[in-house]
Amino acid sequence: MSGSYLSDLHMHTFYSDGKASPEEMVLAAVRLGLKRIAITDHAGGHIFYGVRAGKLVELRKEVTRLASVYANDIEVLFGLECNLLGYGKTDAPEDRSMYDVLLLAYHKGGLQKDAFIMRRTLEALGLGKSEPELTANALLEAADKYKIDILAHPGEYVKCDIATLARGAKQLGAAIEINARHVTLSADEIRMAHDIGAKLRPNSDAHSPARVGNLMPAIAAAEAAGVELEGDGL
């Protein structure tokens, strides 16, 4: 196995599009012997699954409770998977003091008020042209403004220039995710990002307890690319 991972920093609960409670996800991680997880439900800009207002406050309180209850077993972090909503625009919180981990990705369910995002939606539907370098720079601009920790599943819905993303991520100190649920990076892209010096981070993107900690598809993709991952850490 490449690297040693005892953490999983991307998972969803029934507060967004997951199938289980935060506590069920925590218990699954404890059973696996994981030492750190992050609950990262969708931020409010996702039309269908965004966690907003009172629901977000409730989720925060629940994660705080779980972090206390299971403190002797595991570190439970509170995060969000934020949505790219325009060039350099996202629904990430301006005050991130209450959040341990912020992820950022383009999702087809993001609010469609911005011309750049409308073009990406057409691209995702196979109805428009791709702009890979522009997409990479749009993500990086937002990541810089909002101190994003992890750029999640790049290239899943729309094309993204990984060389541009990797150079920017390295400069910002952000990690590029190898998503174990949907491995979106090719072997060449993984190798390229690694050679540029960007941090690569495997995560499960679990939507159910059975998927918590399942990083092997991501780790196997790195190994197939001839890349040895560095182990735990943001």
Side-chain angles (χ1 to χ4, degrees):
M1 181 180 294
S2 184
S4 177
Y5 281 87
L6 293 173
S7 67
D8 186 355
L9 303 180
H10 185 176
M11 61 184 65
H12 297 268
T13 75
F14 58 31
Y15 278 84
S16 60
D17 58 343
K19 307 301 183 186
S21 70
E23 187 157 18
E24 288 174 306
M25 302 298 273
V26 171
L27 288 171
V30 171
R31 286 194 294 270
L32 286 171
L34 297 183
K35 297 303 180 185
R36 181 171 61 162
I37 63 166
I39 302 296
T40 56
D41 282 301
H42 288 287
H46 197 293
I47 297 170
F48 306 110
Y49 302 122
V51 186
R52 309 175 188 94
K55 192 176 179 182
L56 181 59
V57 173
E58 180 183 320
L59 175 58
R60 170 68 194 183
K61 289 180 178 178
E62 176 62 3
V63 173
T64 299
R65 183 188 73 83
L66 295 171
S68 176
V69 169
Y70 296 100
N72 291 332
D73 302 305
I74 193 169
E75 182 181 9
V76 181
L77 305 179
F78 181 56
L80 287 174
E81 184 178 14
C82 306
N83 303 280
L84 184 68
L85 300 179
Y87 189 96
K89 299 176 183 178
T90 178
D91 50 6
E94 290 191 9
D95 178 8
R96 66 156 298 165
S97 61
M98 295 179 65
Y99 300 87
D100 302 304
V101 180
L102 292 181
L103 283 64
L104 174 65
Y106 167 79
H107 297 97
K108 288 185 287 186
L111 292 172
Q112 305 296 308
K113 296 181 179 180
D114 181 274
F116 171 80
I117 289 300
M118 291 178 70
R119 294 202 305 273
R120 298 290 69 75
T121 299
L122 290 173
E123 178 189 348
L125 294 172
L127 301 174
K129 69 175 184 178
S130 62
E131 299 175 291
E133 188 172 352
L134 192 66
T135 296
N137 282 319
L139 287 163
L140 291 168
E141 184 78 12
D144 186 23
K145 288 180 183 177
Y146 292 89
K147 310 304 179 189
I148 298 297
D149 298 298
I150 300 171
L151 296 158
H153 52 77
E156 178 168 6
Y157 301 110
V158 296
K159 291 183 179 179
C160 181
D161 187 83
I162 299 304
T164 299
L165 194 71
R167 286 192 291 269
K170 178 185 178 182
Q171 185 174 5
L172 296 176
I176 295 177
E177 180 182 75
I178 307 177
N179 188 292
R181 186 166 179 252
H182 304 289
V183 178
T184 61
L185 300 175
S186 69
D188 286 343
E189 289 172 330
I190 292 172
R191 194 178 305 113
M192 180 193 309
H194 176 265
D195 290 346
I196 287 170
K199 291 186 290 186
L200 293 166
R201 168 76 219 186
N203 282 320
S204 73
D205 193 3
H207 285 60
S208 68
R211 297 287 300 179
V212 170
N214 182 11
L215 306 181
M216 281 310 303
I219 293 172
E223 290 181 338
V227 169
E228 183 174 356
L229 300 177
E230 295 179 359
D232 274 322
L234 283 175

